[in-house]
């Protein structure tokens, strides 16, 4: 009887572990400057489908990797959202000089190895 209960508990633990693995989302850059003027990397599962076509550039295992790859100021990106919730954290109000209609991508996003001018 004890062996059966222990076996059932192990099976339940294994199913719960598998379930938590399946619900882990990758981090992706949010280019919605209205919600995240300093940039943000989210893991809410709502990434555009096109991101999967080039997953190496758009999908990351950590918020840190995503922010470093996509935004000039990774610290602002990291501060932009709560972990896994997509909730905004309080930030100072931007000044007119801080607001830009363009995403703040890092320079390496535009590097193209095919354009060697040397």
């Amino acid at each position: 009887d004890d062996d059966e209960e222990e076996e059932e508990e192990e099976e339940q633990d294994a199913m719960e572990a598998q379930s938590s693995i399946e619900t882990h989302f990758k981090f992706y850059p949010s280019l919605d400057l209205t919600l995240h003027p300093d940039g943000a990397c989210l893991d809410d599962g709502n990434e555009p489908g096109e991101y999967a076509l080039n997953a190496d550039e758009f999908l990351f295992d950590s918020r840190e990797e995503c922010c470093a790859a996509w935004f000039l100021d990774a610290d602002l990106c990291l501060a932009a959202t709560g972990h896994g919730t997509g909730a905004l954290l309080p930030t100072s109000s931007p000044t007119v000089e801080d607001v830009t209609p363009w995403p703040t991508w890092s320079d390496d996003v535009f590097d193209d190895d095919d354009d060697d001018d040397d």
Side-chain angles (χ1 to χ4, degrees):
D1 234 5
D2 288 336
D3 288 337
E4 284 182 30
E5 284 181 28
E6 189 174 313
E7 219 173 276
E8 287 177 20
E9 285 180 28
E10 287 176 6
E11 287 178 25
Q12 182 68 23
D13 290 343
M15 289 190 322
E16 287 174 7
Q18 183 64 30
S19 174
S20 70
I21 290 170
E22 291 172 0
T23 58
H24 172 74
F25 297 111
K26 296 280 190 171
F27 289 91
Y28 67 94
S30 171
L31 303 180
D32 185 342
L33 295 178
T34 303
L35 289 176
H36 311 286
D38 296 317
C41 288
L42 309 176
D43 66 340
D44 57 9
N46 294 321
E47 66 272 6
E50 297 83 14
Y51 284 15
L53 298 174
N54 203 349
D56 289 343
E57 287 190 40
F58 292 103
L59 303 177
F60 300 87
D61 291 326
S62 73
R63 185 180 316 277
E64 291 79 10
E65 288 176 296
C66 177
C67 287
W70 275 91
F71 300 102
L72 292 175
D73 193 331
D75 290 335
L76 287 175
C77 170
L78 289 169
T81 59
H83 294 285
T85 64
L88 293 176
L89 295 177
T91 60
S92 62
S93 298
T95 64
V96 173
E97 292 82 22
D98 293 337
V99 177
T100 175
W102 309 106
T104 55
W105 294 320
S106 64
D107 292 334
D108 64 346
V109 172
F110 297 105
D111 286 347
D112 189 0
D113 294 335
D114 297 333
D115 292 340
D116 290 333
D117 294 334
D118 299 319

